[in-house]
Amino acid sequence: ANPPTQAPTVAATEPGTLNEFYPIRNQGSGFCTNEPPSTYGLNDIYEQSYPTNAECCKAYFSHQSDGFCYSKMGSPPTQAPTDAPTEAGSLTVWYPDYSKSWDMGVCINDAPLPSYATHYNYPTQKECCDNAYSGQSSGRCAAGYLG
């Protein structure tokens, strides 16, 4: 008979086998994973890891204009929040629009909420811009709430 195996002490919140997410840097785009390093030809995790995929993406790939790292996360939400919006748009939260280049980026509150925005959304447009586009030389995001 085979000896019993140990179960993990903390369950991962998304698919994979590790309880931490770490970056995989590809040419041009990167993403975070909780799969064993050997899956990607690595012997170990050489960079800081995070408890969630979203935290890892924010730490390592927030500069991606196409939001590739966030797009690799679990399935997007199926319904928008039901609360009435407080400002223009249809959601009560604001999130960065990663369909634009970083310098042209703005924060929006349009439905449906993309999967990456389930972890990175803010109660006001200003808070979103201050967090997602801090240091943006064009000032495009700030111009959206300064009017």
Side-chain angles (χ1 to χ4, degrees):
N2 291 329
T5 59
Q6 292 184 333
T9 56
V10 177
T13 58
E14 298 182 41
T17 59
L18 302 177
N19 297 326
E20 58 189 348
F21 290 82
Y22 63 96
I24 297 295
R25 298 176 188 277
N26 292 336
Q27 293 178 355
S29 63
F31 60 95
C32 293
T33 184
N34 66 343
E35 295 176 313
S38 59
T39 305
Y40 300 97
L42 301 172
N43 295 322
D44 202 355
I45 298 172
Y46 299 103
E47 298 186 65
Q48 181 177 342
S49 59
Y50 291 86
T52 68
N53 199 343
E55 288 174 276
C56 181
C57 284
K58 183 177 182 182
Y60 290 105
F61 303 110
S62 62
H63 65 280
Q64 290 177 337
S65 61
D66 62 359
F68 181 75
C69 186
Y70 295 107
S71 75
K72 302 281 285 177
M73 292 170 47
S75 61
T78 56
Q79 294 182 355
T82 56
D83 293 342
T86 56
E87 299 180 50
S90 58
L91 299 178
T92 60
V93 295
W94 294 83
Y95 60 92
D97 181 2
Y98 288 131
S99 69
K100 298 175 174 27
S101 67
W102 189 83
D103 202 47
M104 297 305 292
V106 295
C107 288
I108 57 177
N109 64 343
D110 297 339
L113 188 70
S115 60
Y116 68 84
T118 60
H119 297 286
Y120 293 101
N121 60 72
Y122 305 89
T124 67
Q125 189 178 21
K126 181 182 184 320
E127 284 181 64
C128 179
C129 289
D130 289 350
N131 284 281
Y133 295 105
S134 176
Q136 184 185 48
S137 60
S138 68
R140 174 123 177 148
C141 193
Y145 65 83
L146 294 175

